[in-house]
Amino acid sequence: MKKASKPQTEEMKEVSAVEYVGSEESRLEKYKAVYKASKKFIKFDPVLIKKAFTALRKFADTNKESAKDLLGDEDNFIYVTITLSKVPLKFSPKPVQIPLKHPIYGSQYLTHACLFVKDPQRRFKDLVQDLEVPCLSKIIGYTKLLKNYKQYENRRQLVHEFDLFFCDKRIYRMLPKVTGAFFYRKKKFPYPLEIAESGEEIADVMKEMLKGTFMTLGNGPHYSFRVARTSMDEKAAVQNVVTGIYKALPYILKDELKPSKVQSITLKTDKSPELPIYCHLSKTDAMAYLHQAEKSKDESE
């Protein structure tokens, strides 16, 4: 008989993917420490974020004339990019979920999700066929994935067909050779799930997945993830930006780097320039800037 797992609190669930060493309680404490340190050191100007969001929305609106947008490519996402001044030694390519105050996925956005499962595929389809599983548009078994998506063009079409990808964690490590680098470049590598034994549980898991956004971790120094949509209310977008960044930093910094190693944070859409909302100069950079300012002042006199 399978041993029942210890119930997790909501906070534990939130940090379950953090690559900290130790028990769940220990990892939670480390997450909290980095979270608090980040909020104390990194401060945002809501007015600046609002201005950046407004500019990006205007940019997106002026670019809706393109044929791609006329075909309904997608509602423009707002991306956060966090850049570090030091590359962390510990990293993992495993994606993590970042909680947001306001969802950016769901039926209101016509979100389409795809789930890769362990064979047999039919078993999982039967579990959910009579249920309304939110935004789950397709289930693909591992064997079918191998067979039908060998070619690059097939994988490219698959990536563009869905907004989100999830997978049974039992096949997660087998997916890179099937999906290829294209999923990584598009920041759509499947998020691993603990697949339940009932359709109702699968539906509940999918509902939870739609409450946040996803970030693929690497060795840096740049980390990017979706945090809002240009169609959102300004206040909701600003809240998502601030919440998303603070919730993401413990995954990026872990217990290895200090918040002072965050060099810059920017916002952008898929096609726009990056707009800065935070910048931290090191002491050396600050001294160099002041020296140059003094030099320019002397030359102008």
Side-chain angles (χ1 to χ4, degrees), residues 26-200:
S26 174
R27 297 205 313 271
L28 177 59
E29 289 305 313
K30 290 176 181 178
Y31 178 97
K32 284 182 176 179
V34 179
Y35 178 80
K36 289 180 180 178
S38 298
K39 290 196 72 172
K40 183 178 180 180
F41 187 86
I42 299 175
K43 301 297 182 181
F44 295 106
D45 179 358
V47 176
L48 179 61
I49 297 175
K50 183 178 178 180
K51 287 181 177 178
F53 173 75
T54 302
L56 291 174
R57 180 157 62 185
K58 185 176 180 180
F59 180 91
D61 288 341
T62 58
N63 282 274
K64 280 185 178 178
E65 299 299 321
S66 69
K68 193 173 183 181
D69 285 325
L70 289 174
L71 290 173
D73 176 49
E74 64 177 32
D75 182 9
N76 277 281
F77 284 102
I78 302 291
Y79 292 82
V80 162
T81 300
I82 299 172
T83 301
L84 304 182
S85 59
K86 183 179 179 181
V87 177
L89 296 177
K90 297 180 289 185
F91 68 93
S92 168
K94 183 179 180 181
V96 294
Q97 185 184 28
I98 309 298
L100 296 175
K101 276 189 173 291
H102 308 278
I104 59 174
Y105 299 110
S107 56
Q108 69 271 36
Y109 296 118
L110 302 179
T111 298
H112 294 286
C114 179
L115 175 64
F116 300 143
V117 297
K118 183 180 178 182
D119 295 322
Q121 169 184 291
R122 173 47 55 189
R123 174 174 173 271
F124 294 96
K125 286 188 173 183
D126 290 342
L127 285 174
V128 300
Q129 66 177 354
D130 296 325
L131 301 174
E132 291 187 11
V133 182
C135 302
L136 182 58
S137 304
K138 195 177 186 69
I139 294 177
I140 304 176
Y142 183 72
T143 299
K144 193 169 184 178
L145 186 64
L146 281 173
K147 180 181 177 181
N148 295 351
Y149 299 93
K150 289 181 180 180
Q151 303 301 319
Y152 174 84
E153 181 59 26
N154 298 129
R155 294 197 298 268
R156 190 188 71 80
Q157 290 177 1
L158 183 63
V159 166
H160 287 295
E161 188 178 350
F162 298 97
D163 305 290
L164 293 170
F165 289 89
F166 301 101
C167 71
D168 186 328
K169 75 172 189 178
R170 291 172 293 184
I171 64 169
Y172 173 74
R173 295 186 182 277
M174 300 158 65
L175 289 178
K177 66 178 181 180
V178 185
T179 56
F182 197 74
F183 277 70
Y184 279 105
R185 290 200 298 270
K186 289 295 180 180
K187 303 186 188 305
K188 288 187 178 181
F189 197 78
Y191 183 83
L193 302 176
E194 184 84 47
I195 298 297
E197 296 299 317
S198 74
E200 289 79 6

